[in-house]
């Protein structure tokens, strides 16, 4: 690694959106080393370009958050890369908003925007299972797999990128839509609390990045992705161990569960 005592970040879902912006901003400091994990490194062109120019400060690994074997392999590769220095921050960023439809699914039966039809009254088992697999099971397995290498680091922090849509207190806003996603993010908040209890030496939090202009947030979202990511990184750098189990937004305000 380039710097003798770098701060090491593991970003899950680094290919585009919030994850890619996070990698880009982190590389602006020579003190950061980043492991950028993504589903298919072979077609992560922008990420590979960043890695090529990073002077060995960005390492691109394969990781599919729905595939336990790739999670185990990525943890082993990270261990080999960082050795005793450990990984200071794990950011569980990758997530899905709606299910990828099975081939047998009849798209002609879908309304114009299937995301908007994902209410508690209409969501399918497929929607719910896909959201839970990617947004809850994946982050749980990644935290388990990386916990030994996190424990050896200076910062020992896990940041779960969640959403205020997963806040039970805010469930009526903006409407009862994207229900399977919202339910999975509520479960992610409980996972954060359970991980904080299971790993008392680590600092584990959830964070809402704000409504951001990404593929998921859409071009009409409230903020450019850079604003949310700056906020996430500022809050993460200021974390104290007593914050473990908490849910923040990107300005550092606590979000009600
Ligand atoms: N954008 C918003 O307004 C907003 C608001 C609240 C919360 N969030 C949260 O912020 C995080 C990032 O969202 P985003 O807006 O950047 O979403 P996005 O633009 O849809 O990007 C999602 C990222 O997750 C990756 N991903 C999805 N499934 C994966 C899998 N099975 N294995 C590995 N990677 C996978 C994608 O990689 P591929 O390219 O391989 O698909 C992509 O890099 C999510 O946790 C989201 O819930 C976003």
């Amino acid at each position: 690694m380039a710097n003798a005592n770098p701060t090491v970040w593991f970003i899950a879902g680094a290919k585009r959106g919030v994850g890619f912006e996070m990698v880009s901003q982190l590389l602006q400091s020579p003190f950061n080393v980043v492991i950028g994990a993504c589903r298919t490194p072979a077609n992560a062109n922008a990420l590979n370009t960043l890695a090529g120019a990073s002077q060995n400060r960005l390492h691109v690994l394969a990781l599919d958050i729905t595939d336990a074997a790739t999670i185990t392999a990525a943890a082993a590769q990270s261990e080999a890369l960082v050795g005793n220095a450990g990984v200071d921050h794990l950011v569980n960023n990758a997530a899905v908003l709606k299910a990828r439809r099975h081939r047998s699914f009849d798209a002609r039966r879908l309304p114009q925007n299937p995301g908007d039809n994902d209410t508690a009254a209409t969501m399918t088992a497929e929607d719910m299972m896909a959201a839970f697999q990617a947004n809850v099971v994946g982050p749980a397995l990644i935290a388990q797999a990386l916990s030994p290498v996190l424990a050896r680091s200076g910062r020992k922090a896990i940041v779960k990128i969640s959403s205020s849509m997963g806040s039970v207190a805010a469930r009526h806003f903006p409407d009862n839509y994207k229900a399977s996603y919202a339910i999975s993010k509520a479960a992610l908040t409980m996972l954060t609390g359970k991980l904080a209890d299971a790993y008392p030496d680590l600092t584990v939090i959830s964070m809402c990045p704000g409504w951001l202009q990404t593929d998921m947030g859409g071009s009409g979202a409230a903020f450019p992705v850079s604003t949310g990511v700056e906020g996430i990184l500022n809050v993460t750098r200021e974390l104290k161990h007593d914050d473990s189990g908490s849910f923040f937004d990107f300005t550092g305000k606590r979000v009600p569960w």
Side-chain angles (χ1 to χ4, degrees), residues 41-64:
N43 67 17
N45 298 339
L47 192 64
N48 289 324
T49 302
L50 275 188
S54 74
Q55 297 179 312
N56 216 24
R57 290 191 301 115
L58 170 59
H59 304 271
V60 179
L61 298 185
L63 173 81
D64 183 329

Side-chain angles (χ1 to χ4, degrees), residues 63-76:
L63 173 81
D64 183 329
I65 54 172
T66 65
D67 179 344
T70 70
I71 293 173
T72 309

Side-chain angles (χ1 to χ4, degrees), residues 10-235:
F10 184 107
I11 313 294
K15 185 184 153 195
R16 58 191 165 95
V18 168
F20 180 77
E21 175 67 20
M22 203 172 283
V23 173
S24 308
Q25 291 193 17
L26 287 169
L27 287 178
Q28 288 166 17
S29 162
F31 299 106
N32 290 324
V33 164
V34 185
I35 299 172
C38 64
R39 186 165 18 201
T40 326
N43 67 17
N45 298 339
L47 192 64
N48 289 324
T49 302
L50 275 188
S54 74
Q55 297 179 312
N56 216 24
R57 290 191 301 115
L58 170 59
H59 304 271
V60 179
L61 298 185
L63 173 81
D64 183 329
I65 54 172
T66 65
D67 179 344
T70 70
I71 293 173
T72 309
Q77 288 167 48
S78 303
E79 183 96 41
L81 269 172
V82 300
N84 283 334
V87 168
D88 290 279
H89 305 92
L90 159 63
V91 183
N92 279 122
N93 159 73
V96 295
L97 181 57
K98 50 192 177 220
R100 292 183 166 202
R101 302 289 167 188
H102 292 310
R103 284 222 178 105
S104 59
F105 191 85
D106 184 355
R108 287 165 304 184
R109 291 175 50 220
L110 280 176
Q112 280 303 98
N113 183 348
D116 292 344
N117 196 36
D118 179 24
T119 74
T122 59
M123 63 191 179
T124 63
E126 185 194 9
D127 290 331
M128 288 185 276
M129 295 304 285
F132 202 79
Q133 179 79 41
N135 301 349
V136 187
V137 179
L141 296 183
I142 295 168
Q144 288 174 357
L146 283 176
S147 60
V149 73
L150 281 159
R152 287 207 302 275
S153 75
R155 290 289 285 152
K156 306 184 195 334
I158 301 181
V159 176
K160 307 268 174 217
I161 303 298
S162 188
S163 168
S164 53
M165 275 197 198
S167 161
V168 175
R171 72 185 179 281
H172 303 299
F173 176 81
D175 232 334
N176 183 23
Y177 81 142
K178 297 177 179 152
S180 52
Y181 173 78
I183 292 164
S184 73
K185 290 295 192 181
L188 183 65
T189 307
M190 179 58 87
L191 172 66
T192 299
K194 290 291 184 187
L195 285 170
D197 291 349
Y199 296 105
D201 292 343
L202 306 185
T203 304
V204 191
I205 64 148
S206 303
M207 204 177 315
C208 176
W211 184 25
L212 305 178
Q213 292 153 11
T214 63
D215 292 341
M216 187 184 288
S219 56
F223 304 107
V225 64
S226 56
T227 303
V229 168
E230 270 167 37
I232 293 168
L233 294 178
N234 287 339
V235 175

